[in-house]
Amino acid sequence: MSGGHSFYKLLSASTYFKTNPKFFALYEGQRNSESLLCMSNDTVVEIITKKMSEIIAQNPNTSFFSISQNDDAVYCECDKCKTLNEKCGGPQGSFYYFFNKIAFQFPKTKITTLAYLHTYRAPVNLKIEPNIYTLFCPIQMNRGKAIAESSSNKDFLNILNNWSTTTPHLYLWDYTVEFTNYLSPFPNFQTFSKNFKLYEQNQVKGLFVQGYADVPGDLYELRQYLLFKIIWDTQTDVEAATNDFLNGFYGNAAPFVKKYRDLLTQYQEKTDRYLDIYSDPIQSRNTFLTPEAMNQYDQIISQSEIAVKDNPTLAKRVLKLRLALEYVYFEQAKFYGKDKHGMFAGKNKEDQGKLLRERVLNFSKNCNEFGIYELSEGGLSPDQYYEEWLAIEKNTCNHLGEKYEIHFLTPPADEFKGKGSYGLVDCVRGYKNPAINWIDWYGTNPEIELNVQKLDFNTININTLSDQRHWIFTPKKISVYGFEKDKWQLITQLESEKLSKNLEVSIQIWEFKSNNFNRYDTLKIEVENLKELPYWRKRKNKKPMVMIDEIELYNN
């Protein structure tokens, strides 16, 4: 079976876009070369039909063939596609209109597609061809609670039921790990059996469960074993299967590994932490990955190590479990910075981070030995992780404004407010991960007030992040004001260069110079965000973001 996002393979923008832009989606008023195709263009149907004929002929023993949208929530809004969408319940309408035309040409061939993002819901007023097999992809969901046990899933249950009555060939693409942090604990074992029984009751014929493939992650072996067992038979006694596996795989360490897994689950359920497949251990620092909880997990894993210390094979398996705790500790240490538990605090500060650096290096070596060649879906390797650690070590600073009083006049977004205003003057600069130290404003213009009390300085450095793939952009302009005679007076401002497309993550330092800063008790920094997203990143329900970290004061 050939699966996944395939439009870009079947009709390439590099070949057709310049000469035939109408082959591609008209989205937000512009043809988009990186997005969906125009679903109502007959020539597009002809080209893909011809391409599929060649692929089918070249693969006579293949059972299924895939025609699926690209991995993006963009769809065509030309007049004809728009009419189809209005008639058939949404963007899935024009998609299945197009797909039916292709499938009709190959009545004896089983063709799969994804119900994903904008095609997530079943079409209405449209009959799907009988040789189409739909993989329903519920990508946005709380993985920490069984679907039927959450009142927030009523809409999902309706969508699933609609699909089960729309097609006799309903399959489901499930997601069971944290894709942004493969090694970070992800306590969702308690949901598998209940969810898979629910799918079975709703006429789902089969599951593709995307977890870890060839990259070992959190409790990798147990997770894969249970998934296989439950998919094969949803009536599997999960507790018995778990005990059976742990005893056989971990030997004398099995009781401790079970205790570790159960404690993770207990803390996750107690704190009702929403498990998102694109989350991170920093966002879980106040729930099931608190420093106190981490100490308990560490003690349990230490007991596991003692229990199998005379068995090299079992000892290695327990070591792999410890890698998850090490990873969480490192990620949270970056966030805490100079504060307690931080990479620049306590013993780490006393020895200039030498022992911690050695731990990170040892972690990367162990990952390589275990075949953990990337730590996230983004492809960060263990060696690159260590190199980034060294770069972050150099990212600390000492400036005159450390821990000075600072206020948000414009509240930041809830998702990325880090340590609050204090995080902007903690002398630890943000690096390339938005979750670590950066403060985010979503669709607004940040205004930040500094109580400097006529501090003697002449330079302000402001760090901003650019990550266009995640809608984070360099500000258009930053202005610095001083408060005097009951009004704000402009001191200085800088404008950025003309915005251009660049999907590389980068950091820009804005340097402001003035001999007048020390005249004021209070300064205000105004940041001008983009008014709208550039055409290459326009998406519905998305707004431009500005991310700021350290605001540094110097007397140069």
Side-chain angles (χ1 to χ4, degrees):
M1 176 178 175
S2 176
H5 309 288
S6 59
F7 272 179
Y8 71 96
K9 298 177 183 177
L10 297 170
L11 199 156
S12 169
S14 61
T15 302
Y16 290 102
F17 186 74
K18 285 186 178 180
T19 55
N20 296 278
K22 289 187 177 180
F23 287 179
F24 298 85
L26 178 70
Y27 182 77
E28 295 286 286
Q30 289 183 303
R31 296 287 173 180
N32 193 314
S33 65
E34 299 178 359
S35 62
L36 194 68
L37 305 172
C38 176
M39 299 286 87
S40 59
N41 189 304
D42 290 337
T43 307
V44 169
V45 173
E46 291 173 10
I47 292 170
I48 291 185
T49 300
K50 182 180 178 182
K51 183 72 172 177
M52 287 302 298
S53 296
E54 296 170 358
I55 293 172
I56 292 168
Q58 292 166 4
N59 300 273
N61 297 320
T62 299
S63 300
F64 294 87
F65 293 86
S66 171
I67 303 176
S68 298
Q69 68 206 62
N70 295 338
D71 193 2
D72 205 338
V74 173
Y75 52 88
C76 190
E77 299 174 305
C78 73
D79 289 342
K80 192 170 181 180
C81 286
K82 186 176 180 181
T83 299
L84 288 165
N85 293 339
E86 290 172 351
K87 176 186 175 183
C88 302
Q92 68 274 24
S94 58
F95 177 78
Y96 276 94
Y97 166 85
F98 158 84
F99 201 37
N100 274 347
K101 284 191 168 187
I102 304 291
F104 183 78
Q105 305 297 319
F106 309 98
K108 296 182 180 180
T109 302
K110 297 174 181 177
I111 303 178
T112 69
T113 194
L114 306 178
Y116 178 72
L117 298 179
H118 56 281
T119 62
Y120 180 58
R121 297 173 183 269
V124 297
N125 303 318
L126 185 150
K127 185 178 180 181
I128 296 175
E129 287 292 324
N131 59 325
I132 292 176
Y133 289 68
T134 296
L135 273 82
F136 178 49
C137 306
I139 192 168
Q140 294 174 327
M141 189 183 297
N142 181 4
R143 309 287 157 175
K145 185 174 287 188
I147 294 167
E149 295 177 354
S150 176
S151 59
S152 63
N153 286 329
K154 289 182 180 179
D155 187 46
F156 168 81
L157 292 171
N158 288 333
I159 295 170
L160 178 61
N161 181 64
N162 289 340
W163 270 117
S164 69
T165 58
T166 300
T167 175
H169 306 307
L170 179 62
Y171 290 73
L172 191 139
W173 186 318
D174 205 7
Y175 308 82
T176 59
V177 301
E178 192 171 78
F179 289 88
T180 42
N181 298 274
Y182 286 145
L183 280 176
S184 186
F186 199 69
N188 61 337
F189 292 88
Q190 72 279 14
T191 69
F192 297 157
S193 181
K194 295 175 183 177
N195 286 351
F196 293 177
K197 286 177 182 176
L198 174 70
Y199 299 150
E200 188 175 44
Q201 292 162 8
N202 281 269
Q203 311 307 314
V204 172
K205 305 302 182 188
L207 291 172
F208 170 69
V209 180
Q210 185 181 6
Y212 308 114
D214 55 337
V215 185
D218 165 53
L219 284 163
Y220 166 80
E221 296 85 0
L222 174 62
R223 188 181 299 271
Q224 303 300 80
Y225 179 79
L226 290 179
L227 288 172
F228 277 122
K229 295 280 285 187
I230 301 169
I231 292 170
W232 187 258
D233 179 5
T234 57
Q235 301 305 314
T236 295
D237 184 332
V238 177
E239 192 69 10
T242 298
N243 292 333
D244 181 53
F245 177 84
L246 294 178
N247 289 329
F249 195 73
Y250 291 105
N252 291 338
F256 304 108
V257 178
K258 177 77 182 311
K259 184 178 179 182
Y260 165 62
R261 195 213 66 166
D262 289 349
L263 191 60
L264 274 168
T265 302
Q266 289 168 20
Y267 279 136
Q268 186 276 325
E269 290 182 331
K270 181 180 179 180
T271 57
D272 198 21
R273 170 73 169 106
Y274 188 103
L275 289 189
D276 189 318
I277 62 172
Y278 296 118
S279 185
D280 61 70
I282 296 163
Q283 291 173 318
S284 298
R285 70 188 183 278
N286 296 320
T287 55
F288 66 92
L289 295 178
T290 63
E292 294 76 20
M294 287 291 293
N295 284 338
Q296 289 179 271
Y297 304 147
D298 178 75
Q299 291 172 16
I300 295 171
I301 297 302
S302 293
Q303 290 174 309
S304 302
E305 290 169 334
I306 294 170
V308 295
K309 61 183 176 61
D310 296 325
N311 187 319
T313 299
L314 299 184
K316 283 195 70 174
R317 292 173 181 173
V318 172
L319 173 60
K320 191 187 289 187
L321 294 178
R322 180 167 289 286
L323 293 183
L325 300 184
E326 288 287 87
Y327 179 78
V328 171
Y329 177 75
F330 299 149
E331 289 298 284
Q332 292 185 350
K334 296 174 189 175
F335 173 83
Y336 289 120
K338 292 187 176 183
D339 298 328
K340 187 178 180 181
H341 311 299
M343 64 184 290
F344 303 111
K347 292 181 179 178
N348 300 327
K349 180 180 179 181
E350 291 172 12
D351 71 354
Q352 288 80 50
K354 181 181 177 182
L355 291 177
L356 187 54
R357 190 181 314 122
E358 290 175 355
R359 274 176 66 180
V360 178
L361 178 60
N362 195 46
F363 165 82
S364 69
K365 289 178 178 178
N366 284 325
C367 285
N368 285 323
E369 289 178 10
F370 282 117
I372 304 172
Y373 62 85
E374 61 182 21
L375 303 178
S376 69
E377 190 179 39
L380 185 71
S381 73
D383 292 338
Q384 289 170 330
Y385 186 81
Y386 177 65
E387 292 301 318
E388 281 202 357
W389 182 272
L390 297 180
I392 293 170
E393 276 191 331
K394 299 175 183 177
N395 224 28
T396 185
C397 59
N398 292 290
H399 61 83
L400 299 174
E402 182 175 4
K403 298 183 180 179
Y404 259 62
E405 188 178 348
I406 188 167
H407 302 285
F408 295 140
L409 301 179
T410 309
D414 286 337
E415 186 178 3
F416 291 110
K417 57 184 178 182
K419 291 175 275 192
S421 59
Y422 160 71
L424 294 180
V425 287
D426 65 350
C427 283
V428 181
R429 302 185 184 106
Y431 196 58
K432 294 183 178 181
N433 182 348
I436 299 175
N437 292 318
W438 294 99
I439 309 293
D440 166 42
W441 284 264
Y442 184 64
T444 59
N445 293 327
E447 292 190 11
I448 301 163
E449 186 178 272
L450 286 78
N451 187 9
V452 292
Q453 299 294 322
K454 294 187 174 67
L455 178 70
D456 187 18
F457 70 102
N458 57 20
T459 303
I460 302 176
N461 288 350
I462 301 174
N463 299 265
T464 64
L465 182 68
S466 175
D467 184 356
Q468 295 182 9
R469 183 170 175 266
H470 295 102
W471 296 279
I472 303 165
F473 294 89
T474 300
K476 289 182 64 176
K477 181 170 64 177
I478 300 181
S479 305
V480 182
Y481 295 83
F483 193 73
E484 190 175 60
K485 296 180 180 179
D486 295 327
K487 65 179 181 179
W488 291 107
Q489 298 182 355
L490 178 65
I491 303 172
T492 182
Q493 63 184 198
L494 292 172
E495 295 188 19
S496 64
E497 297 179 358
K498 185 178 179 181
L499 183 65
S500 60
K501 182 178 178 180
N502 186 348
L503 298 183
E504 294 294 320
V505 179
S506 62
I507 296 167
Q508 180 175 332
I509 300 176
W510 302 61
E511 184 179 76
F512 299 87
K513 292 275 192 179
S514 174
N515 290 321
N516 293 324
F517 289 144
N518 58 11
R519 285 176 43 191
Y520 304 96
D521 289 329
T522 308
L523 298 179
K524 181 175 69 170
I525 294 170
E526 286 188 0
V527 181
E528 185 176 338
N529 194 357
L530 300 184
K531 287 185 172 61
E532 62 179 18
L533 291 168
Y535 73 89
W536 64 86
R537 288 305 289 157
K538 273 193 176 181
R539 299 296 183 270
K540 295 186 187 302
N541 303 316
K542 291 290 185 182
K543 298 176 183 178
M545 287 186 275
V546 164
M547 281 199 166
I548 299 171
D549 180 36
E550 199 66 13
I551 298 176
E552 307 167 26
L553 310 182
Y554 298 101
N555 194 3
N556 296 328

